[in-house]
Every structure is written in structure tokens, then in C-alpha cells.
Amino acid sequence: MAGRRVNVNVGVLGHIDSGKTALARALSTTASTAAFDKQPQSRERGVTLDLGFSCFSVPLPARLRSALPPPEAGPEPGEPQLQVTLVDCPGHASLIRTIIGGAQIIDLMMLVIDVTKGMQTQSAECLVIGQIACQKLVVVLNKTDLLPEGKRQAAVDRMTKRMQKTLESTKFRGAPIIPVAAKPGGPEAPDTEAPQGIPELIELLTAQIPVPVRDPSGPFLMAVDHCFSIRGQGTVLTGTILSGSVGLGDSVEIPALKVVKKVKSMQMFHLPVTSAMQGDRLGICVTQFDPKLLERGLVCAPESLHTVHAALVSLEKIPYFRGPLQTKAKFHITVGHETVMGRLLLFSPAPEAFGHPPVLDSFDFSREYLFQEQYLCEDAPPAANGADREAGRAPEGRCPRQQWALVEFERPVTCPRLCLVIGSRLDADIHANSCRLAFHGTLLHGLEARDYAESALPRLKVYKQKHRHGLVERVASAPKPGSC
């Protein structure tokens, strides 16, 4: 922590051109080295191409004071602050990998809607990601300045009702909706006109932000999203701490490269710090490391992470995905900031165990599991030949409370156990009005050995049910006793 402050991460997500970066700029008082489309390509194209980070601070509400860390050396001066780090995610459909990576480090999501257009394809995908990755949502109706002044309030009221109806079928039912104009006049307009609705939005965010879970214990793990060099200083790795804590002089590992470096210096939004903990946005400076070797990835305590070639994942299909989930099918598998191709082998509990409660912190190798050609779900259409299980329909209308998949990666990935896994069809037409996100789940067990098929998979007891069909040609009644 830098001084007496609690950091929370708020994602800014939405369809392309909904005004997300303008909103982040209007809210922020401090920008990081990767904020407000600083990439030359972003400025040339006028769209966000990568994650951007900026922040603002307000006095810490009393309900969040339990998240304050203990002072390092006696009482610290000054009023404790709530630091809100804004994670500005790109809106273009082709950058969904980056959006998913950004969504996994946020405490609250702002869904930015162009009030003149309403929900659009990427707005819907961002809403799906939000349901998977975070617990709180605020909907921002942006660009209200583009509405005719005499009809503005009526148009905002109509869009508010439409959004409320959209949210009814999600876990964000009843989420607050607020109108703003982050950049009156549009991106080319001069900065003479002040944004509208920003103080009210800050007040709403402060009230909605959940008490963050911050635990300095456990192994250090940080999701790195940018890496660059500073002449005479070294290489800076910027990211968000996912677990544990780190201090000056600590050794950290870049597990994908098997490289260990010592922390030379640290900053939080240009302020030098000596330590940081889970949830903090941080820049770590190390020496003798080429930034070209790591665009994004993980940094951790030495030897705390392992590289896996396959994984056992607790799986849940995303209901908006129209296609089936089938064994042997390939999907884009996103784990943290990394996306690789993976092939599925699906299995479920034995039918008598369909009602058992889900277990999301371990995998039981002692149990027997039933092989499935397809993910079982109650709303799947019945098969013409009656082969319910093979059609994806749960037998007798029953659906198991938990299903799993063996995910075999096309190349090894480095990730922590119990991390979020998202499966997508990113090769689908980005202009089609369909959800590309297919499933999400929790990585329960990683298979580290390259020869896992021989060394580890024999422990996995997955069986197939076989049925024999016969035809009765003639039925003869047994002769009565004494009739012969």
C-alpha cells in the first residue's frame, strides 16, 4: 500500500466507440504509462488496442476501512484514501482476449453504453464476461449530450428501462444505471466544455464498490500487462497483484522464461513504495532483462507456479452460446492473459451422483466418472433417435450439478491452480450477432508431465456405458406342469 489507502480495480468495458476511454479520462486524476490510448497505433486508428490504467482517489468510506492494512511503523498521517484504478478495456471484437484478461483483475465492472445505440454485440459479450469474472456492475449511459435537449430525459428514461429489462435475466438484476456525457461534442471537440454527470458517477461508484478481499499472505503472484525499459534504471513490469505481497529486494520469477530477478524499485502510479499486496496496481523495476521477452504474463514468487500441458477443469456452459460443447472439439482457452487452443474430453458424475453438490477446490481421482460425447444440459433438444446423452440432453430431464473436462493444450501454459478458465470460439465471424464465449470453469488440477497421457491419465477413472440391442422374434409360453 502507498500510504493509508485501499486500492480497488474498476473495469471499463463496452462496445467499440461507446466512449470508454473518454470516460476513464474524465474520471481520472493520475495516468499510468499505459493510459488513454498512448500507443501510436491507438492514436492513429482512434480506438483502444490494449488495456489502459489510470486512477482517482476519494476519502475512504467507513464501510471499507476493514480492508486497510496495518501500518508498517506506527500511525500514518493523513486521511485514509480509496484509490480507484480504472482498467480501460478495448471494445473491438477482435481484441476479446485482451478484454477477458482485463476483466479477471477487477472488483467492479462499469458497462459503458452509447445511449443513442443501446446494447450492441460487444456490449453483450462484455456483460457475459462480467457475469463470469465479477460480482458488481454499474451501467453508464454515455453520450447523453448527443440527444436533443428537449427529448433528452425521455430518451434516457427509455434506455434505462431497456437496460433494466436486459439485466433482469442476469445476476446483475437491479444494478444502478446512470447517465453521463464524458466528452461533450465528441472526441474532436475542444476541452472547453466540462463533462456532465462525473461527480454523480464518482459518488455512485464509491457507494457500490464492494469490500475488497485483500490478503498479504500466500505466494506472490502478479498479472503483468505491460513491460518496458527505462534507460539507466532497468526494465519495468506493470500489473495487478493477484495474491500475496512483494517488497523491495525480494526475488521474483518470470515462470514462462524460468528467469529469477530481484526487485530493484517499485511504484504505484508514479509514487515510490517499499511494499505492495493483493489488489494493488504496481510497477516493478528489475535489471538485466529484455522487455521484448515478455509482453504480458505472470510474475510470481520463485518456484510457486508450474507449467501444465493439460488440466482437469470444472466446466459450465455459457447459456448464450448457440453451439454444442462436444468431446474432441477445439476451443480458444483463456487462462489469465494467455490464450491457447485446447481440445476437450467431457465427463460427468455417474447418474446416481447427479445431485451431489459441486466441489470447486479439488478433483477427486478416487471417484468413477461417466464419459460424455457432449455437455449435458436440460434445454438441449431431444435426439431423433432417443440417444439423450449423446445429444447433450440430460437423461430423464435430470442435469448433473457439476461437469468436467480434460483440456489438452496445444502448447504448455503457466497458471495457478483454481484459476478462472474461459473457452471461446474466437474464429467465429465477429460481425455475426452471436456469443463467441462458450464456457467457463475452474482449473482444479494441472498435469505437468509432458507424457501425462501415460503417467497421469491412468489415474482418471472415466468409463463409457455400453448398450446391446436385440430383437425378440418369438415368445413361447412355458408348458403347464403335467401337460406333457
Side-chain angles (χ1 to χ4, degrees):
M1 283 295 160
R4 289 171 54 80
R5 68 180 65 202
V6 172
N7 182 75
V8 293
N9 301 298
V10 173
V12 187
L13 289 85
H15 195 86
I16 187 171
D17 289 335
S18 57
K20 300 181 298 298
T21 300
L23 180 62
R25 190 190 300 272
L27 286 167
S28 301
T29 55
T30 306
S32 74
T33 53
F36 312 142
D37 298 339
K38 285 190 175 179
Q39 284 189 359
Q41 300 95 322
S42 293
R43 291 196 296 269
E44 287 170 13
R45 296 174 58 180
V47 296
T48 301
L49 298 177
D50 205 348
L51 299 176
F53 295 86
S54 55
C55 76
F56 66 89
S57 295
V58 295
L60 184 67
R63 65 184 182 84
L64 299 180
R65 299 208 172 197
S66 61
L68 269 175
E72 293 182 5
E76 297 182 26
E79 183 72 14
Q81 296 287 301
L82 171 65
Q83 178 177 277
V84 180
T85 295
L86 301 172
V87 185
D88 180 15
C89 297
H92 197 278
S94 63
L95 302 171
I96 190 72
R97 294 176 176 86
T98 306
I99 299 169
I100 294 172
Q104 293 183 68
I105 59 174
I106 63 176
D107 301 299
L108 178 146
M109 172 177 155
M110 276 196 296
L111 181 63
V112 184
I113 301 293
D114 182 337
V115 73
T116 67
K117 297 177 181 177
M119 283 288 287
Q120 296 169 274
T121 305
Q122 270 63 66
S123 313
E125 284 193 336
C126 290
L127 184 57
V128 172
I129 294 170
Q131 290 191 81
I132 297 169
C134 65
Q135 298 301 318
K136 282 271 196 171
L137 175 77
V138 169
V139 177
V140 179
L141 302 180
N142 195 17
K143 302 188 178 183
T144 56
D145 58 298
L146 299 182
L147 299 170
E149 192 167 349
K151 302 177 180 178
R152 185 171 298 167
Q153 190 57 51
V156 168
D157 290 344
R158 283 196 302 273
M159 186 58 70
T160 299
K161 289 180 180 178
R162 284 174 58 185
M163 290 305 304
Q164 288 171 337
K165 189 172 182 180
T166 298
L167 297 177
E168 274 185 4
S169 59
T170 76
K171 73 177 184 181
F172 299 127
R173 182 177 182 176
I177 302 170
I178 184 170
V180 304
K183 187 71 170 66
E188 305 301 325
D191 295 332
T192 52
E193 192 172 346
Q196 301 163 13
I198 297 303
E200 293 82 359
L201 177 56
I202 291 175
E203 184 178 344
L204 177 61
L205 289 174
T206 304
Q208 290 294 315
I209 285 170
V211 178
V213 177
R214 302 294 185 249
D215 183 4
S217 64
F220 167 69
L221 177 64
M222 184 169 93
V224 174
D225 43 66
H226 294 95
C227 188
F228 56 92
S229 61
I230 299 177
R231 181 172 294 181
Q233 297 292 320
T235 297
V236 177
L237 314 171
T238 64
T240 302
I241 300 179
L242 303 178
S243 67
S245 59
V246 65
L248 283 178
D250 286 356
S251 293
V252 297
E253 181 185 5
I254 304 166
L257 304 172
K258 307 298 182 187
V259 170
V260 176
K261 294 291 179 182
K262 188 160 285 191
V263 177
K264 178 184 175 185
S265 62
M266 302 191 304
Q267 286 190 357
M268 290 186 194
F269 289 103
H270 313 299
L271 295 176
V273 294
T274 58
S275 64
M277 65 181 286
Q278 182 185 29
D280 284 338
R281 175 78 190 161
L282 184 68
I284 290 177
C285 183
V286 300
T287 58
Q288 297 180 335
F289 180 70
D290 184 355
K292 295 177 182 177
L293 296 176
L294 183 72
E295 181 181 2
R296 54 170 49 108
L298 295 173
V299 173
C300 63
E303 299 184 3
S304 61
L305 284 189
H306 302 283
T307 300
V308 300
H309 295 264
L312 296 169
V313 175
S314 177
L315 203 69
E316 187 174 336
K317 185 179 179 183
I318 292 170
Y320 308 104
F321 182 71
R322 294 175 182 172
L325 300 185
Q326 295 176 317
T327 285
K328 296 185 180 179
K330 288 187 177 182
F331 289 87
H332 294 88
I333 310 297
T334 301
V335 184
H337 286 297
E338 195 167 3
T339 299
V340 301
M341 292 300 295
R343 185 175 60 182
L344 305 184
L345 185 149
L346 298 164
F347 54 97
S348 73
E352 62 271 15
F354 273 16
H356 289 186
V359 177
L360 298 175
D361 60 358
S362 62
F363 185 83
D364 188 353
F365 281 94
S366 67
R367 288 177 56 185
E368 289 189 340
Y369 301 90
L370 179 59
F371 170 83
Q372 299 293 353
E373 290 284 356
Q374 188 165 308
Y375 184 88
L376 299 180
C377 49
E378 293 173 344
D379 57 354
N385 62 1
D388 283 341
R389 237 181 234 103
E390 293 181 2
R393 188 178 179 85
E396 302 173 10
R398 293 186 304 133
C399 192
R401 295 181 63 183
Q402 186 173 17
Q403 298 181 58
W404 299 267
L406 168 68
V407 182
E408 298 179 284
F409 302 115
E410 285 197 349
R411 60 178 173 82
V413 297
T414 302
C415 56
R417 185 174 160 272
L418 302 182
C419 66
L420 175 64
V421 177
I422 297 178
S424 316
R425 276 277 165 80
L426 302 183
D427 49 357
D429 182 6
I430 63 174
H431 302 294
N433 187 22
S434 61
C435 180
R436 295 174 294 164
L437 306 173
F439 64 86
H440 66 96
T442 303
L443 193 151
L444 300 179
H445 186 86
L447 305 177
E448 299 174 29
R450 192 181 298 272
D451 64 343
Y452 65 89
E454 294 78 28
S455 61
L457 287 191
R459 294 176 59 202
L460 183 62
K461 303 171 186 175
V462 177
Y463 67 91
K464 287 184 178 181
Q465 283 188 334
K466 290 188 177 181
H467 303 274
R468 286 193 174 185
H469 299 273
L471 180 64
V472 178
E473 295 183 346
R474 184 162 57 103
V475 177
S477 57
K480 294 181 180 179
S483 62
C484 294

